[in-house]
Amino acid sequence: MGLLLPVVLCALAACCGARSPPLPPLRFWPPIARSCNDSGILELAGFALQDINRDRKDGYVLSLNRVSDVREHRQVNSLGSLFYFTLDVLETDCHVLSRKAWKDCGVRTLHESVYGQCKALFYVNRPGRVLYVLAYNCTLRPVSRRSIHMTCPDCPSPFKLSNPKVLETAAESLAKYNKESASKQYSLFQVTRASGQWVFGFAFFVEYLIKESPCTKQEASSCALQPPDSVPVGLCKGTLTERELQKFVSVTCDFFEPQVPAPGGENPAANQGPADLPTVEESQQKIIAPTNSPSKAVPKGSVQYLPDLDDEKKPEDTQENSPVEAFPVQLELTTDPLGESLDVSFLFLGPEEKKVVVLPFPKKEQRSAECPGPAQQANPLVLPP
Ligand SMILES: *[C@@H]1O[C@H](CO)[C@@H](O)[C@H](O)[C@H]1NC(C)=O
Ligand SMILES: *[C@@H]1O[C@H](CO)[C@@H](O)[C@H](O)[C@H]1NC(C)=O
């Protein structure tokens, strides 16, 4: 691998000495398959995932389980490198709006796991102090309910968010929170997760986003005011247990760091400092990630949620080798095998134009022998095949 570059350079020297056409050959530098267990690669993968999480508006923060594949495409004219990452990820219990770094979030227990794969095009230019995800796409699925059920028949199983019991649990637990709250009142924004379990009675577990209610505590039950542009301010976890005609409700809420200079609100769950990139030794490494994407920025990406794999397998394809890809993730900025150039000038302060060459996303078959790397959660139930 390390040998490739010198070889290319020699070829180049030979070609230029022979006075042949100017630039085109440079575009043919092939991407290099890197090791998925290299410490530098793991660090970059962590940054890439952090940038992906930062770009998202809904769902839970994704954490890195392992690097499944990585190619480095060195760019000409010391423009740095484009990395083609395939990352196996796990959902954490932090909502993306909390802006917490994935390393500060807890990974869900096995029976609650949501796992999948992301592809990311990550641009690194160390002299320019740029680490930036140009594009990404992820596909996630819940862990196989059938497999969980075999080892843990009593574990909670997922519920439809539209289930009346789910809404009841959210409403009752939020009512409890509001009742105990000193002044501010909150209303339901959106249910984000729900599950239930039978243990001498039914227990329901829900997670939901809340927004601030304009109503005061006194008018709480009769108030119909809606703030014009309400945004979620926190994530609550509520439970409702029904046992022998008695109801038990519990609730905890975590409030998000204000995004913008916000009206000084109470913030019960003080977070541990701003969720800014990076806390690394290379502290001079500044991350330039424009928040208001300029005209030249490409669309960044999205996260696709698919159902439990068991629900998708049809009775006829009983063999494991079903022809359908379990975690289809598409990330094609180009189909041209010679690549296309992409303007990344917006990532730099200077006025000059800077372009990188983007290739079709490399095929998994040609990845390094040292890929995939070791997994944080090595249970095959949460590793994409
Ligand atoms: C990302 O995936 C969506 C489908 O989920 C697809 O429409 C889109 O083109 C993909 N983005 C890229 C850059 O390939
Ligand atoms: C990954 O690298 C570490 C040291 O950097 C080593 O201890 C470990 O065995 C490696 N794992 C694999 C699967 O290669």
Side-chain angles (χ1 to χ4, degrees), residues 81-333:
S81 288
L82 258 189
F83 286 86
Y84 296 79
F85 272 117
T86 305
L87 307 175
D88 290 345
V89 297
L90 288 167
E91 237 182 40
T92 65
D93 58 1
C94 299
H95 198 275
V96 290
L97 296 178
S98 71
R99 296 288 159 222
K100 285 194 188 168
W102 63 265
K103 282 181 181 157
D104 297 333
C105 297
V107 164
R108 295 181 178 280
T109 50
L110 183 64
H111 67 265
E112 297 181 300
S113 290
V114 173
Y115 70 111
Q117 202 160 67
C118 294
K119 285 182 181 167
L121 202 56
F122 191 48
Y123 179 48
V124 178
N125 183 315
R126 289 191 186 269
R129 299 180 171 190
V130 172
L131 296 171
Y132 187 79
V133 169
L134 290 166
Y136 69 91
N137 254 345
C138 307
T139 298
L140 305 178
R141 290 185 189 272
V143 64
S144 157
R145 223 175 321 118
R146 201 171 53 199
S147 310
I148 292 297
H149 195 76
M150 282 194 285
T151 51
C152 177
D154 295 331
C155 275
S157 38
F159 270 40
K160 281 215 165 63
L161 301 187
S162 55
N163 185 307
K165 276 292 176 190
V166 168
L167 295 176
E168 184 187 329
T169 306
E172 296 222 4
S173 59
L174 184 54
K176 181 181 164 98
Y177 189 85
N178 278 335
K179 209 168 127 212
E180 289 164 5
S181 154
S183 58
K184 279 222 173 115
Q185 297 291 291
Y186 300 93
S187 49
L188 181 64
F189 183 83
Q190 182 189 38
V191 178
T192 51
R193 258 186 98 82
S195 58
Q197 176 184 33
W198 172 265
V199 243
F200 309 112
F202 234 105
F204 303 93
F205 310 98
V206 298
E207 294 181 17
Y208 50 92
L209 294 168
I210 53 170
K211 57 187 178 183
E212 269 178 33
S213 159
C215 308
T216 63
K217 203 165 177 177
Q218 287 70 35
E219 54 192 25
S221 56
S222 57
C223 171
L225 291 175
Q226 280 297 324
D229 54 349
S230 52
V231 289
V233 294
L235 182 77
C236 296
K237 299 180 184 183
T239 63
L240 172 67
T241 317
E242 290 175 341
R243 200 169 288 166
E244 292 163 3
L245 299 176
Q246 275 197 292
K247 274 187 183 178
F248 304 91
V249 177
S250 72
V251 65
T252 58
C253 296
D254 261 315
F255 286 80
F256 304 147
E257 292 272 330
Q259 304 284 293
V260 273
E266 58 183 322
N267 203 346
N271 287 323
Q272 61 281 49
D276 253 338
L277 296 177
T279 50
V280 198
E281 291 71 63
E282 308 168 78
S283 50
Q284 83 279 25
Q285 191 87 47
K286 189 173 83 217
I287 297 204
I288 299 183
T291 38
N292 299 320
S293 301
S295 54
K296 285 289 163 41
V298 287
K300 288 195 92 176
S302 62
V303 176
Q304 161 181 237
Y305 293 85
L306 296 181
D308 190 333
L309 257 180
D310 299 337
D311 298 346
E312 256 182 26
K313 283 204 185 110
K314 290 164 200 72
E316 55 266 31
D317 48 53
T318 41
Q319 290 312 304
E320 288 303 313
N321 290 332
S322 70
V324 208
E325 212 185 332
F327 290 86
V329 187
Q330 196 199 338
L331 194 66
E332 289 300 350
L333 265 65

Side-chain angles (χ1 to χ4, degrees), residues 354-368:
K354 294 189 193 280
K355 287 186 172 177
V356 293
V357 174
V358 180
L359 297 169
F361 207 90
K363 297 265 179 292
K364 179 179 167 184
E365 288 68 36
Q366 295 134 24
R367 69 181 170 185
S368 150

